[in-house]
Amino acid sequence: MAKMYHKDKSIQIKSSASALYNNLSVLRIAPRCLTYFTVVHANVVNMVSASWDGLNYSHRQLQSKEGNVATSSSVIMQAAWCVLPSRDLLVLTSQKGIQMYESDGSIMVYWHALDTPETPTAKAVFARGIAAVREKYICVGVSSGSVLVFDVPSKGSNITLSEVLEEHKEAITDMASECSGNLECIADLVSADDSGLLCVWKSGEDFQLLNKIPGFDTSCSSVKLWKGTVIAGYGTGQIRLYEGVTGILHAEVNAHARWIYSLDIAPFTGLLISAAEDSWVRVWHLSLTPETNSVEIEHMYNECVTDTQICGAKFCDGDGYAFAVTGYDLSEIIRYTQA
């Protein structure tokens, strides 16, 4: 197998990565030749801004908040950038609620409190799973199985909860919107839960459920949607490719020996990255043949991050030229660039 990527300079972070699914988010700011990274540690989010020449790094830490008050008791579950046509927002989900910030983390523009039960229940309450959909929606999953749809104005803080989607019975694990930019795709959101159930949605003033793809009682920890194809990673180490609208299974790969923690796709090239507890990062190539309506997955590259339980892996650009990896208890973001 050709050596596709080589290890690049790592980026130090202020505190180590927690063992959470999809614990890395990346935002490219091309006009300023910067890339932002976020990694969650307990009740803080480590944010790093890195210049492309590798000379300048700036760090910021965002606290878990309840309203405008910082709270140490609320564990953050996920941090992810939501890229909408008119603005980029950084969304944090925790056990208390949902925080939305300007993309550089400077100003909190919105806070949504979760409904916490009056009496303590056996079930934990938290939000997890974040996706920007089409022109103006940000969707966030909740431990009850609900999906909250927020309507986001092109500027300002007048963000409203416009709809609650109630199809999942288990905690939401991850969500993804159609990332190819192809407006002909009918499906534009997929949500996944702890039972492995996938719900495929069409967005709009009222979100429509297009399909439910059963999950065989194995948690789906990470999900992507590309050119109408749902790419799902599971606790079994498997990756499955489904046609979103029909639910037809195109491919199933025994990709990892242990729990998959993160998937990402480079939308322009169809490169897919998978990362798991088994210390392996794998790069795959997806190809679609519209005439026969088939999807193929080809294994391209492996990288072992020794003795590391990988919890985040993301491409740093739309072509998959570079990717970044985080691991449980590691205080650095490891980067790889195409050789």
Side-chain angles (χ1 to χ4, degrees):
M1 195 177 292
K3 186 78 177 158
M4 264 180 83
Y5 293 87
H6 64 85
K7 196 170 176 183
D8 212 338
K9 191 175 159 194
S10 288
I11 298 174
Q12 301 306 305
I13 48 178
K14 296 285 187 197
S15 49
S16 64
S18 293
L20 300 166
Y21 303 148
N22 308 299
N23 191 4
L24 174 64
S25 189
V26 177
L27 179 70
R28 256 170 86 87
I29 314 278
R32 295 172 58 203
C33 298
L34 286 178
T35 304
Y36 289 157
F37 300 87
T38 56
V39 184
V40 176
H41 170 84
N43 64 325
V44 295
V45 174
N46 297 293
M47 185 173 165
V48 185
S49 155
S51 63
W52 290 357
D53 58 14
L55 299 176
N56 292 309
Y57 298 95
S58 64
H59 297 263
R60 169 175 259 152
Q61 283 191 318
L62 301 177
Q63 293 280 156
S64 175
K65 287 187 177 178
E66 201 171 344
N68 282 319
V69 183
T71 164
S72 59
S73 62
S74 177
V75 171
I76 296 173
M77 301 300 288
Q78 196 180 3
W81 275 284
C82 286
V83 177
L84 294 165
S86 57
R87 68 197 297 191
D88 301 340
L89 291 175
L90 175 59
V91 179
L92 274 52
T93 61
S94 73
Q95 293 171 317
K96 300 287 188 196
I98 298 157
Q99 298 159 235
M100 298 190 190
Y101 288 84
E102 295 295 355
S103 60
D104 62 357
S106 58
I107 300 163
M108 187 163 89
V109 291
Y110 183 70
W111 157 257
H112 175 86
L114 290 178
D115 297 331
T116 44
E118 301 283 308
T119 51
T121 60
K123 285 188 109 168
V125 175
F126 57 85
R128 176 178 63 191
I130 303 164
V133 184
R134 295 292 191 201
E135 273 64 51
K136 58 171 191 166
Y137 298 109
I138 288 178
C139 298
V140 179
V142 186
S143 51
S144 64
S146 300
V147 173
L148 309 181
V149 180
F150 295 96
D151 191 318
V152 180
S154 56
K155 54 181 190 287
S157 57
N158 190 24
I159 295 167
T160 54
L161 176 62
S162 62
E163 196 177 355
V164 180
L165 310 176
E166 305 275 14
E167 287 291 340
H168 292 273
K169 302 287 178 276
E170 301 292 326
I172 302 293
T173 45
D174 193 24
M175 289 208 285
S177 55
E178 173 60 55
C179 65
S180 67
N182 182 350
L183 296 175
E184 289 168 18
C185 292
I186 302 165
D188 44 25
L189 175 71
V190 59
S191 49
D193 74 21
D194 258 334
S195 74
L197 175 70
L198 303 170
C199 288
V200 182
W201 306 88
K202 179 174 171 51
S203 67
E205 290 304 312
D206 292 308
F207 276 58
Q208 281 173 276
L209 179 70
L210 298 174
N211 198 8
K212 284 174 103 159
I213 301 170
F216 317 109
D217 288 333
T218 302
S219 185
C220 173
S221 46
S222 193
V223 70
K224 288 284 168 242
L225 181 58
W226 181 69
K227 295 188 176 177
T229 300
V230 174
I231 303 120
Y234 296 88
T236 54
Q238 285 185 320
I239 297 172
R240 293 196 193 114
L241 273 53
Y242 292 99
E243 187 178 327
V245 176
T246 63
I248 292 168
L249 178 64
H250 282 303
E252 184 174 53
V253 184
N254 294 319
H256 292 273
R258 296 184 66 179
W259 206 285
I260 290 176
Y261 263 61
S262 194
L263 294 177
D264 195 28
I265 193 148
F268 305 145
T269 53
L271 289 177
L272 170 73
I273 192 169
S274 64
E277 278 185 335
D278 62 5
S279 304
W280 286 94
V281 183
R282 303 191 196 278
V283 177
W284 315 78
H285 181 247
L286 304 185
S287 47
L288 279 67
T289 313
E291 299 80 45
T292 55
N293 197 21
S294 65
V295 182
E296 290 183 1
I297 179 166
E298 181 190 3
H299 183 221
M300 304 290 286
Y301 177 75
N302 277 328
E303 187 70 53
C304 182
V305 187
T306 317
D307 298 333
T308 302
Q309 179 186 329
I310 301 168
C311 44
K314 282 272 187 291
F315 286 116
C316 300
D317 55 275
D319 293 308
Y321 175 72
F323 66 86
V325 173
T326 56
Y328 173 55
D329 241 8
L330 277 190
S331 297
E332 60 178 345
I333 299 167
I334 307 168
R335 288 191 294 176
Y336 297 88
T337 309
Q338 278 190 21

